[in-house]
Amino acid sequence: MKPAQIQAQISRVISEAIAELRDPRIPLIVTVDHVAVTSDYGIARVYVSAFGTDMPDLLDALSHARGHLQRQVGAQVKLRRIPVLEFYDAATARF
């Protein structure tokens, strides 16, 4: 598959998985703005935004839930290797 297709699938899976997380630091609505995958599909940089929340706490909570989110990606996206997820603030990132 093409990188754009992989990025779209990962974005969809992560959006759904974040909506199911029950961490008080994660607001009800978190938007996955962009996903950038490296050429070897080893790292997926996920750019998120949320309205009215403390972004460092949100990024910390998502990093804490990284294992669960990676398992969700591995179960739903057919890749040889599951990418390591890295979370960034979409407001401060240039993608």
Side-chain angles (χ1 to χ4, degrees):
M1 286 196 284
K2 296 180 181 178
Q5 293 171 327
I6 297 291
Q7 292 170 0
Q9 286 185 356
I10 291 174
S11 177
R12 179 187 52 82
V13 170
I14 291 176
S15 294
E16 293 171 358
I18 288 175
E20 296 173 358
L21 292 177
R22 297 292 168 239
D23 190 323
R25 298 173 291 178
I26 299 174
L28 292 175
I29 299 174
V30 176
T31 304
V32 176
D33 289 336
H34 183 72
V35 175
V37 179
T38 57
S39 61
D40 65 347
Y41 301 120
I43 298 173
R45 293 181 181 92
V46 182
Y47 298 93
V48 297
S49 63
F51 183 73
T53 186
D54 187 23
M55 191 54 73
D57 284 345
L58 172 62
L59 295 176
D60 184 50
L62 291 175
S63 295
H64 187 265
R66 175 182 293 143
H68 172 71
L69 297 172
Q70 283 181 197
R71 279 192 300 278
Q72 294 293 319
V73 169
Q76 297 184 30
V77 180
K78 301 301 178 206
L79 292 173
R80 182 172 290 167
R81 188 167 96 177
I82 301 170
V84 175
L85 301 177
E86 296 178 352
F87 296 97
Y88 297 97
D89 183 3
T92 60
R94 290 178 288 175
F95 44 84

